């Protein structure tokens, strides 16, 4: 059974159903971020990028597609699809990451194949309460070529994060800390034990352009103690 094709099929069917359904009225979200640098879990993936998002949410279920395309001519491209379910503060997600890049021409391959760029990850997060919105998340890759140890065993690369959002005057902010609890091949061969890879401070607000239009902007400072690196990302959202 090809999990990737099942996820894609369910996503496309849901989008078609949502577009024409008048009775159920699911929530459809469409947006795109423009960023000066694409940083994921403390690791730089590419330079300036366009990152579109399309998602459908209905009665706790969600299906979404997200992508990142480098606009600096480096041919870096990522396309991810996810299926999720939220209930009582919990959120469960299955994500298919595809990292092969531009001109790979092998998207429709199984993550079990040795030359496939697909990686499958399961994630769970929990938000404590509205009054104390600390969220804790656990994310583990379970299938894909980049998830193998040197001896060929599955490393079950895992990323754990705590995030707390707050508001300072009219600016939405958050602080977060994420780490790898054990050897995690997805993040690099040097990630062979407990490693903190993302200590982050983020801020966002809407800037008034006209009486009818406001532009959401955001900035994140991310330190990666594991590799002694730091990133400053700025971007804006079109929606």
């Amino acid at each position: 059974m090809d999990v990737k094709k099942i996820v894609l099929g369910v996503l496309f069917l849901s989008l078609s159903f949502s577009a024409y359904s008048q009775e159920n009225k699911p929530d459809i979200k469409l947006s795109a971020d423009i960023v000066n640098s694409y940083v994921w879990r403390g690791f730089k993936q590419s330079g300036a990028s366009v990152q579109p998002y399309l998602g459908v949410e209905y009665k706790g279920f969600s299906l979404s597609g997200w992508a990142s395309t480098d606009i600096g001519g480096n041919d870096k491209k990522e396309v991810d699809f996810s299926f999720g379910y939220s209930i009582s503060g919990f959120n469960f997600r299955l994500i298919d990451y595809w990292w092969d890049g531009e001109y790979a021409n092998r998207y429709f391959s199984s993550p079990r194949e040795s030359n496939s760029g697909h990686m499958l990850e399961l994630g769970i997060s929990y938000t404590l309460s509205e009054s104390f919105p600390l969220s804790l998340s656990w994310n583990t890759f379970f299938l894909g070529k980049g998830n193998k140890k040197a001896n060929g065993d599955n490393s079950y690369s895992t990323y754990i994060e705590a995030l707390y959002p707050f508001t300072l005057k009219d600016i939405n902010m958050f602080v977060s800390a994420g780490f790898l609890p054990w050897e995690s091949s997805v993040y690099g061969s040097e990630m062979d034990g407990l490693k903190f890879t993302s200590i982050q401070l983020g801020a966002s607000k809407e800037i008034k352009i006209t009486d009818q239009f406001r532009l959401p902007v955001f900035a994140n400072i991310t330190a990666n103690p594991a590799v002694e690196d730091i990133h400053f990302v700025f971007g804006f959202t079109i929606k």
Side-chain angles (χ1 to χ4, degrees):
M1 180 179 294
D2 193 331
V3 178
K4 173 182 67 64
K5 290 183 179 179
I6 293 175
V7 173
L8 289 175
V10 173
L11 174 63
F12 294 142
L13 287 174
S14 176
L15 290 176
S16 301
F17 174 79
S18 301
Y20 294 102
S21 174
Q22 298 297 322
E23 180 180 354
N24 295 309
K25 296 181 179 179
D27 185 19
I28 301 177
K29 297 180 179 179
L30 173 64
S31 65
D33 290 342
I34 313 295
V35 295
N36 69 307
S37 181
Y38 169 27
V39 177
W40 176 72
R41 297 177 180 173
F43 298 92
K44 183 175 179 178
Q45 305 298 303
S46 66
S49 302
V50 179
Q51 300 175 333
Y53 170 85
L54 175 61
V56 179
E57 297 179 3
Y58 179 66
K59 293 186 176 181
F61 291 94
S62 64
L63 289 160
S64 64
W66 181 92
S68 182
T69 301
D70 183 274
I71 58 179
N74 295 316
D75 297 330
K76 291 191 175 181
K77 180 173 68 176
E78 176 183 340
V79 180
D80 308 332
F81 289 98
S82 67
F83 171 75
Y85 180 65
S86 298
I87 184 172
S88 302
F90 286 95
N91 179 264
F92 305 89
R93 295 191 307 164
L94 169 65
I95 305 175
D96 169 38
Y97 294 88
W98 183 70
W99 280 314
D100 263 347
E102 200 69 80
Y103 309 117
N105 297 330
R106 57 185 179 193
Y107 180 81
F108 296 100
S109 59
S110 167
R112 296 183 182 278
E113 297 177 17
S114 60
N115 65 340
S116 174
H118 290 278
M119 301 280 293
L120 296 185
E121 180 188 70
L122 284 173
I124 180 174
S125 63
Y126 178 70
T127 302
L128 272 64
S129 66
E130 290 187 6
S131 59
F132 188 65
L134 175 68
S135 65
L136 305 172
S137 64
W138 180 295
N139 309 275
T140 297
F141 284 94
F142 65 94
L143 192 61
K145 67 174 183 179
N147 198 34
K148 301 293 185 180
K149 299 179 182 180
N151 63 3
D153 292 342
N154 195 328
S155 71
Y156 294 102
S157 298
T158 295
Y159 177 78
I160 300 171
E161 184 178 71
L163 183 148
Y164 186 79
F166 59 98
T167 301
L168 188 61
K169 293 187 177 180
D170 61 341
I171 300 178
N172 296 318
M173 304 190 69
F174 72 88
V175 291
S176 66
F179 66 95
L180 313 177
W182 51 67
E183 179 179 349
S184 298
S185 307
V186 170
Y187 304 94
S189 58
E190 70 275 15
M191 299 295 110
D192 56 358
L194 177 63
K195 305 282 187 181
F196 276 86
T197 66
S198 179
I199 309 297
Q200 192 170 28
L201 172 67
S204 63
K205 68 174 298 182
E206 291 187 344
I207 297 178
K208 181 179 179 181
I209 305 300
T210 68
D211 290 339
Q212 292 77 34
F213 178 69
R214 294 176 179 270
L215 182 67
V217 299
F218 57 88
N220 305 320
I221 299 176
T222 305
N224 185 333
V227 295
E228 298 188 34
D229 201 1
I230 192 167
H231 311 278
F232 199 149
V233 175
F234 174 81
F236 60 90
T237 302
I238 301 173
K239 58 183 178 179

